[in-house]
Amino acid sequence: MAITRLSAEKLRRKIGKKALPFNTTDDLQPLDSIIGQERALKALKLALEVDASGYNVFVTGFSGTGRTTIIEKILRDYAAKQPVPNDWCYVYNFLDPDAPRALSLPAGKGNELKADMEHLISTLRQEFKRAFTSEHYENQKAIIMNQINQEKREILQRLEEEAKSLGLQVQPTPMGIRTVIMRNGKPLTQEEFEQLPSEEKEAIARNIEILEGKIAETLRLLARVDMAAQKTLRQLDRDVAGFLAEQYVNEIKEKYQDFSQVLQYLDAVREDIVSNSSEFLAELDREADESKPKPQNNLFKRYKVNVVVDNSDLQGAPVIHETNPTYNNLIGRIEKYPVSGTFVTDFTMIKPGSLLKANGGYIMMDALDVMTTPFVYEALKRSLKNKQVRIEDINEVYGTLALASLKPQPIPLKVKVVLIGWNRVYQVLRKYDDDFPKIFKIRADFDYETDSTPKAIQQYARFVKKVIDEEKLIPFHREAVEEIIQYGHRLASDQKKISLEFGQIVKIIQEATFWAREKGSNIVRAEDVEKAVQEYEYRHSLYKEKIQEYIQRNIHKIIVTGEAVGEINGLSVYDLGDISFGKPSRITAKTYIGNENFVNIERKAGLTGKIHDKGTYILSGFFNSKFGEYMPIAFSGSLAFEQSYSRIDGDSASSTELYALLSSLSGVPIKQGIAVTGSVNQNGEIQAIGGVNEKIEGFYEVCKFKGLTGEQGVIIPRSNVDDLMLKSEVREAVKEGKFHIWAIDTVEDGLKLLTGKTAGRRGKSGRFTRNSIYDLVEKRLKEFAYRADNYRKLLGETKKKKNNEGEKRKNNNNNENND
């Protein structure tokens, strides 16, 4: 049994000048390494250096530890050593216009190809205008037309001769060829024809029929000649276009002779220009005629190059931090524009997503965003499993809207994905998604604290210097840096551990600078850091102050003086996210004759969690082990957290409840100026709890405004001593003897402090030390057992007496019937 009254020096981490050998942060170099996180850094290194599929990373751990900043820095460091990945372009597919082709080129070559193609088309447009309006072209065209016209004249001349031999004449008209009857070199009128003998009319009719056959044959010949003429003219245009296209396309091909895909594309461009030379010219005519509407999807658009990924400005591999991972932002999208009441698109409207931009490098995203944004997680998995990015219209993929769209050629994908999320998200995915362990083989778990070694303290000081330099703040005095380090211990609630929640540390550094400048100082001192912490807590402590006000006004009754039987002050912690604080709770216990059942009123009301319920059940084990070997345990008790209307969980009040029960059974009062925290096991050993600093400070504040007597304090488990990082006000009160903190190991230690009486020890005779707490408890238990036994005997005798009287009445009735 050991009770230790802790001195003020034990209530905080000791950091001296030796650990921080400088005057101000101007004497320090900024931090260039990472504090702690060795486990996570090893996992990241493995994932980044293994060149195999599935070695993507899921980062877990607490937010505010700087994990996103750290990961991005590591990725950028690795990326700087990697080669710059290729550019990616989409071009028109002349064989299948709905499936644009993807071209891969070295970084910077994508935009070069785009510029070269724009220059090519611009040049060809000028050259086409010049070539197709040149004298040579017109002469060639005139020669062809003269030949055609000559051939057509000869055909018509033969027809005329044949008509003349039949006494007829042919006259070309817009509707065809007209037949005219001739007589003596003059056309015969209808009246003259009617006056002819019938034999002559029949002969003329036969001649007309013969001539109509000749005319039909002549028209076919003229059509063939026209078709041949058009073919010859088109071939002339193709020859001119082919000459021009070949000349200028070959110049570009020389530049890209090492890229077979580009050469194939350029050959297709040349063939398309030649094949569509007439449309090419028509397009030029439409552009020249301002009165004609300009179509949005003109011919020249197909010769554009859509550079979807341009890595020309990179120095190393890309690192993308996607903060809004929607389907379109991650995978890409195909935009559309309205035409005549509908929507159309083309390959120039293909837009890349961040996954494609990160191709050949690294991408980091928030796991919860990926999971909660529709379609994103499945699309990400599909891309990683298939090792390619397929840009598709999301409406078409999921069948929500039937619109004609493109199916661009998929682009090969080689990327490292880093998801940052909660442990719970990781566990759910690993449990319920069979693909997840195959795709994310590495977990990097970021810690929220690290060992407070001399090296870590030095790194902490240099971290402060780094923040000062980055934020352009004024320097910190050594004592101010020490106060920051103490705050890091406070966040960790441990003298041997220091917090890695750098987000909160940075806030305090910034606010301390503000308060120093507010008073006109050019250096931040310890009191400025304390002021920053106080102001931060004040901004978030409205709920805490309301509770304290209720206690001050005795709306919530907390007694911190005197003694009472079966009543004790327990301690609980309220966690509001931004801050947590302690609050005393009045716990009362009542014991009576029963059958070994503890009635936890909070549990009956549904206000307790499973861990708290477990702590209550442990009390039964303690009573059975302590008193059940010599007598049956036959009593019941009720426990209540008075004026508590919210949910309670945790077992830190189990020892407090035990003290209240023992006080109720023994009749020995408990000092109300001492609050208790600590869990207990069946052997009566006091075990560590959480939130010890907040609990102590919460009870101190209540004692302060109710009046410090010098007898008040808190009992804590000895295993929590290293967790003490108390505020200066509490430490000062302890130093002056106005407030006390005791560390204990067992229930017996606590009983001695709370009652002033020893708990007692069972001797060889089987009895506890006379008039000890346990002796009084055992006597009360025996008294309960004796009363219960006498009551059972009384009930038995009463029942037996009633049975005898009933039997007697029955016999008397039988005798009367016999008479």
Side-chain angles (χ1 to χ4, degrees), residues 626-632 762-767 778 782:
K626 187 65 68 176
F627 304 103
E629 293 182 7
Y630 290 85
M631 59 180 291
R762 196 180 291 277
K764 293 181 180 180
S765 63
R767 296 179 178 178
E778 192 166 62
K782 288 179 179 179

Side-chain angles (χ1 to χ4, degrees), residues 55 62 154 329 403 451 470 482 485 555 560 566 631 680 684 703 757:
Y55 276 82
F62 286 81
E154 291 175 357
N329 288 350
L403 283 176
D451 293 336
E470 291 177 351
E482 180 179 350
I485 294 171
I555 297 173
V560 295
M631 59 180 291
V680 66
C703 292
K757 295 177 69 69

